[in-house]
Amino acid sequence: MYIPPGTYIVSKPIIAYYYTQIVGDPLDRPVIKGAPSFAGMALIDSDPYTDQGVNWYTNQNNFFRSVRHVIIDMTAMPQSTGSGIHWQVGQATDLRNVQFEMVKGGGQANKQQGIFMDNGSGGFMADLVFNGGNYGMFAGNQQFTTRNLTFNDCNTAVYMNWDWAWTFKSVSINNCGVGIDMSNSPQNQTVGSVLVLDSQ
């Protein structure tokens, strides 16, 4: 799905169906902006939850997804709500050249997060920028490779919910209260391994 340059105001999630690739213009990235009345888990949702609390897709085989060359803007939404992308995916998936704009500051009242991922099995992310929010990334997945991530003015840059093995390469964390938080993972599934390379 190609999104031309421009600003697109959404009031409910854009559902990324199986095999969906959402691609903007890399030279003039479109802005997907959450309306003040936005209702839903995330502006882009790769694996919605049903009313019974289960995902549409088995997240470990939620393959062949991509979001590239877009700006996700949550600054008009209440700071107490909102995720940019619910990225509940498996292999053959990627996020590239995505910028997340969130409300800055606000202390504990700020609940916004750029990426919300609470399950899945592998994938790749690169060239992401997170500005503001409570969590730049809320990350829980079996294994993931990430590179060129920049976090500016987040309360916490990365909250590791759980993992088996996660690689961070070339991460820049600037003016955030906490860099990488691995302290409160669930009792039944803890943070296994985190590798941080060439980062500041």
Side-chain angles (χ1 to χ4, degrees), residues 131-188:
N131 294 318
N134 185 38
Y135 297 137
M137 290 175 54
F138 181 102
N141 197 289
Q142 291 176 3
Q143 61 275 325
F144 236 89
T145 302
T146 53
R147 66 186 298 269
N148 294 343
L149 309 183
T150 301
F151 299 89
N152 301 310
D153 304 305
C154 307
N155 292 344
T156 297
V158 178
Y159 180 83
M160 295 300 305
N161 186 39
W162 69 278
D163 75 0
W164 293 353
W166 196 295
T167 300
F168 289 102
K169 168 74 169 66
S170 303
V171 176
S172 178
I173 299 174
N174 308 294
N175 196 35
C176 298
V178 175
I180 300 175
D181 184 352
M182 299 179 284
S183 64
N184 293 308
S185 56
Q187 292 180 352
N188 61 336

Side-chain angles (χ1 to χ4, degrees), residues 65 87 89-95 117 120-126 141-146 165-167:
R65 305 306 189 90
W87 199 237
V89 294
Q91 292 88 13
T93 63
D94 71 312
L95 297 176
M117 173 194 300
S121 177
F124 179 72
M125 303 179 193
N141 197 289
Q142 291 176 3
Q143 61 275 325
F144 236 89
T145 302
T146 53
W166 196 295
T167 300

Side-chain angles (χ1 to χ4, degrees), residues 24-156:
D25 185 335
L27 301 180
D28 189 2
R29 290 182 295 178
V31 177
I32 300 172
K33 187 176 181 69
S37 61
F38 180 86
M41 179 172 282
L43 274 65
I44 297 175
D45 195 341
S46 67
D47 199 357
Y49 282 97
T50 68
D51 293 339
Q52 291 75 37
V54 297
N55 285 122
W56 280 15
Y57 307 114
T58 302
N59 41 68
Q60 287 84 3
N61 63 13
N62 194 16
F63 304 144
F64 307 113
R65 305 306 189 90
S66 182
V67 178
R68 303 192 300 274
H69 316 308
V70 298
I71 297 172
I72 305 290
D73 188 342
M74 295 178 280
T75 56
M77 297 165 56
Q79 68 175 353
S80 60
T81 186
S83 297
I85 297 178
H86 179 221
W87 199 237
Q88 195 110 311
V89 294
Q91 292 88 13
T93 63
D94 71 312
L95 297 176
R96 296 182 196 228
N97 192 27
V98 180
Q99 180 174 321
F100 299 86
E101 294 294 334
M102 297 169 277
V103 174
K104 294 182 180 179
Q108 294 181 344
N110 191 339
K111 304 296 183 186
Q112 292 188 345
Q113 47 199 358
I115 295 172
F116 174 61
M117 173 194 300
D118 53 345
N119 213 327
S121 177
F124 179 72
M125 303 179 193
D127 305 313
L128 308 180
V129 176
F130 304 84
N131 294 318
N134 185 38
Y135 297 137
M137 290 175 54
F138 181 102
N141 197 289
Q142 291 176 3
Q143 61 275 325
F144 236 89
T145 302
T146 53
R147 66 186 298 269
N148 294 343
L149 309 183
T150 301
F151 299 89
N152 301 310
D153 304 305
C154 307
N155 292 344
T156 297

